[in-house]
C-alpha cells in the first residue's frame, strides 16, 4: 500500500490523483513547483516503476513543463 511521506503531505497541496501518480503543488510563494509522486508502494528508484507507468509519468512531466513554460513566458524550467 502506498503511503505518502508526512513531510510531503504537510508541504504540498494535492491537485489531482491520477491512477499511477499524484500531482501536487509545493506550498511555497516564491516559485511554482509541481511534484509528481508515483502512488505505488516500495519504490526507491525511477527504474522501479513499470516502464509503461514510467513513460506516462515522464511524458506528463514533459507536457506540464511545456505548458507552464509557454503560458508563463519562461525561458527555462527544471
Amino acid at each position: 500500500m502506498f503511503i505518502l511521506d508526512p513531510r510531503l503531505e504537510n508541504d504540498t497541496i494535492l491537485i489531482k490523483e491520477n491512477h499511477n501518480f499524484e500531482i501536487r503543488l509545493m506550498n511555497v510563494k516564491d516559485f511554482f513547483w509541481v511534484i509528481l509522486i508515483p502512488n505505488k508502494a516500495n519504490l526507491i528508484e525511477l527504474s522501479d516503476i513499470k516502464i509503461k507507468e514510467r513513460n506516462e509519468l515522464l511524458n506528463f512531466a514533459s507536457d506540464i513543463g511545456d505548458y507552464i513554460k509557454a503560458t508563463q513566458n519562461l525561458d527555462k524550467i527544471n
Side-chain angles (χ1 to χ4, degrees):
M1 179 175 162
F2 168 73
I3 299 173
L4 182 63
D5 186 291
R7 294 170 294 182
L8 280 173
E9 189 159 9
N10 290 332
D11 294 343
T12 61
I13 300 163
L14 177 64
I15 302 300
K16 183 176 181 181
E17 289 186 58
N18 189 311
H19 60 281
N20 290 322
F21 57 91
E22 291 186 1
I23 304 164
R24 293 184 161 266
L25 185 62
M26 194 69 166
N27 192 15
V28 293
K29 297 177 186 177
D30 299 332
F31 48 88
F32 190 74
W33 187 356
V34 176
I35 301 175
L36 305 177
I37 304 169
N39 57 10
K40 306 291 187 233
N42 303 317
L43 297 176
I44 304 298
E45 304 294 341
L46 188 59
S47 60
D48 294 337
I49 304 171
K50 293 179 184 176
I51 194 159
K52 184 177 178 185
E53 295 171 358
R54 182 177 14 165
N55 287 341
E56 179 185 2
L57 179 74
L58 294 174
N59 287 338
F60 184 85
S62 180
D63 290 346
I64 198 166
D66 288 345
Y67 175 79
I68 293 167
K69 186 176 176 181
T71 59
Q72 299 302 309
N73 196 27
L74 300 172
D75 295 327
K76 174 80 175 103
I77 58 166
N78 289 330

